[in-house]
Amino acid sequence: MTGTSATESPLAGVKVLDLSWFGAGPIAGRALAAAGADVIKVETVKRIDGLRAMAPRPRGARGYNLSGYFNNYNANKRSVTIDLTTERGHELGLVLIRWADVMLTNMTNRAVKQVGMGWETVSRENPRLVAVYMPMMGTTGPHRDFQGFGAMLTAICGMNYLAGFAENRPVGVGTNYPDYVVNPMHAYIATLAALRHARRTGEGQMIDVSQDESSVAAMSLPLFAHDNGGGAYLRAGNRVPYAAPHGAYRTQDTPDRSDRWVALACLDEEHWRTLAAGICGHPEWTDDARFSTLASRLSNQDSLDRLIADWAAGQQGAEVVRRLQLAGIPAGLVQDAREMLEDPHIGERGYFVQLDHAEAGLRWYDGPGWRMTESPVSLDRAAPMLGEHTFDVALDLLGLSADEIADLVAEGVLQ
């Protein structure tokens, strides 16, 4: 890892071999790429990153280069296709290991063994290497060979138990939340720490990111409630034990939305008095014994929510949010994907970026999620097409001649 100037990206000069697929690994790799690292993603035609085959994609489109999910999670990377399960492919993979500062994978432990990229092997080839392993349950323990994706992970880590209502079945959170958010950022932070150590000492190290444990780390409230209070954490929808009202309430339909909702929270008595008297126009609510204290409001939330819902049904969503915010009450519109893309605040800050993909065309991509005053962090290249950079990497990094590349393509080693 080389030093950087104030105008360089913070990870300029860092080289990453990305052996990951689907969500958690690729997003961690994209974070490194957005910070300036040179990330080479390795796939094989016989076993592509499965996200390439998934929707969403342009209507009627077919092929492995058009998935919105894949393209969003793999911007700023290069793509090479090498069959690491072949003898010659494994040798080429080890050349890339010697080139890399970081190796990243969220394959299962069995798959890592199959491609011969375990820690003993890669550390022997490159003692300075930071090797990040992200199997769902970690590299050790009785469940280390469990397989699954975010939908299973949200159940295993306890998150599903928190979503919905106590009288209904656990419903999850509607998306593979942990492996899209928590897991990749834990891997990213750990990688930065290990890179700093490697730069100072010359020593690489293995990073074991259990996606299960990473997800459990975000579950502190119910776990600590159980451990310290001894009580069960009950599914209660949007309700919380420290605020009332606290929820989402339907407002008037708009020409472009027939289900407009506003989320609001009264976190203290001043919020409640301001909402009841100043915003809703019902000062008598604060004198009602059912709602005069937080404890009484929590005991009568069904009645309270009906009052707030009846009031909200006659309000225009954006206007009532403006009034609530001016009054210092936390509130916001419940927005859909289109509204997020068109959000003027997000737009002015330039979070979403448009990148032109050779097959998918001009598409929106998530931004890095943070910015730095001295070091640029950005996405400026669309996701690579499958094997787009195989020839260049084979020629420049692997040291192969054009004839050797052609022979390896014919043998199925390079694809």
Side-chain angles (χ1 to χ4, degrees):
M1 181 177 177
T2 59
T4 62
S5 72
T7 58
E8 284 185 315
S9 297
L11 296 185
V14 173
K15 298 167 289 188
V16 179
L17 181 61
D18 185 351
L19 304 180
S20 65
W21 66 335
F22 280 93
I27 294 173
R30 185 189 63 180
L32 296 167
D38 180 7
V39 180
I40 294 179
K41 182 178 179 69
V42 175
E43 301 172 76
T44 174
V45 171
K46 71 180 184 183
R47 188 170 183 181
I48 60 169
D49 182 335
L51 208 56
R52 284 187 179 273
M54 296 180 65
R57 61 182 67 235
R59 291 180 182 176
R62 300 176 64 86
Y64 291 146
N65 300 313
L66 296 165
S67 167
Y69 273 146
F70 177 89
N71 289 344
N72 191 31
Y73 299 157
N74 291 280
N76 275 31
K77 300 180 184 180
R78 294 193 278 173
S79 170
V80 301
T81 44
I82 304 174
D83 187 349
L84 298 176
T85 64
T86 64
E87 181 178 355
R88 184 65 176 125
H90 184 254
E91 291 173 358
L92 296 175
L94 294 181
V95 174
L96 290 175
I97 288 292
R98 293 190 287 273
W99 163 84
D101 299 302
V102 177
M103 185 200 80
L104 172 67
T105 179
N106 62 336
M107 296 181 191
T108 65
N109 294 311
R110 285 189 293 250
V112 169
K113 184 177 180 179
Q114 183 181 12
V115 299
M117 292 296 173
W119 171 241
E120 290 186 2
T121 298
V122 299
S123 61
R124 182 175 62 248
E125 294 294 326
N126 183 354
R128 292 177 57 89
L129 184 72
V130 173
V132 187
Y133 297 90
M134 302 176 65
M136 187 171 75
M137 305 302 287
T139 63
T140 62
H143 297 159
R144 63 184 178 273
D145 290 325
F146 269 24
Q147 300 184 63
F149 295 90
M152 283 116 276
L153 189 58
T154 55
I156 293 169
C157 77
M159 186 172 295
N160 280 13
Y161 191 79
L162 308 183
F165 297 91
E167 62 272 19
N168 297 325
R169 68 183 187 279
V171 296
V173 293
T175 185
N176 299 329
Y177 167 74
D179 62 350
Y180 289 167
V181 182
V182 181
N183 307 154
M185 289 303 100
H186 281 165
Y188 178 74
I189 293 167
T191 300
L192 296 182
L195 279 171
R196 184 174 187 270
H197 176 81
R199 182 169 62 177
R200 295 176 64 187
T201 67
E203 298 173 347
Q205 59 186 304
M206 172 185 172
I207 299 174
D208 180 349
V209 180
S210 161
Q211 292 186 47
D212 181 40
E213 293 168 12
S214 172
S215 303
V216 169
M219 305 290 290
S220 58
L221 177 60
L223 294 174
F224 292 155
H226 170 78
D227 184 48
N228 292 281
Y233 190 100
L234 299 178
R235 296 188 298 281
N238 290 319
R239 293 176 179 177
V240 296
Y242 52 83
H246 185 285
Y249 304 91
R250 188 167 183 170
T251 60
Q252 290 179 346
D253 295 344
T254 62
D256 59 343
R257 273 290 293 271
S258 59
D259 60 340
R260 169 61 69 206
W261 297 73
V262 167
L264 64 86
C266 289
L267 303 177
D268 55 37
E269 294 308 302
E270 182 62 27
H271 285 165
W272 166 237
R273 288 191 294 269
T274 301
L275 174 67
I279 304 296
C280 297
H282 288 282
E284 72 277 8
W285 290 354
T286 62
D287 298 326
D288 190 320
R290 296 173 300 169
F291 313 131
S292 58
T293 66
L294 173 60
S296 62
R297 292 195 298 278
L298 290 172
S299 297
N300 293 279
Q301 285 189 90
D302 288 343
S303 298
L304 177 61
D305 278 344
R306 281 194 294 269
L307 289 177
I308 303 300
D310 288 345
W311 162 78
Q315 307 301 311
Q316 199 280 326
E319 173 58 20
V320 78
V321 166
R322 185 189 69 82
R323 292 171 58 202
L324 288 164
Q325 285 286 347
L326 285 175
I329 299 173
L333 287 174
V334 178
Q335 299 195 123
D336 61 19
R338 177 184 60 80
E339 290 169 325
M340 285 302 304
L341 282 171
E342 297 174 356
D343 185 288
H345 175 80
I346 295 289
E348 183 173 319
R349 288 178 54 81
Y351 170 71
F352 291 113
V353 296
Q354 280 194 314
L355 301 175
D356 197 5
H357 189 277
E359 291 190 18
L362 195 64
R363 300 291 173 189
W364 288 106
Y365 286 69
D366 283 325
W370 69 93
R371 59 198 66 200
M372 304 169 70
T373 58
E374 300 298 328
S375 306
V377 179
S378 63
L379 298 178
D380 50 33
R381 299 194 315 277
M385 294 184 289
L386 181 62
E388 179 179 348
H389 304 97
T390 300
F391 183 84
D392 292 340
V393 169
L395 198 66
D396 299 336
L397 295 184
L398 299 178
L400 301 174
S401 68
D403 287 342
E404 289 174 317
I405 294 171
D407 289 341
L408 290 173
V409 169
E411 295 168 13
V413 175
L414 300 178
Q415 301 163 339

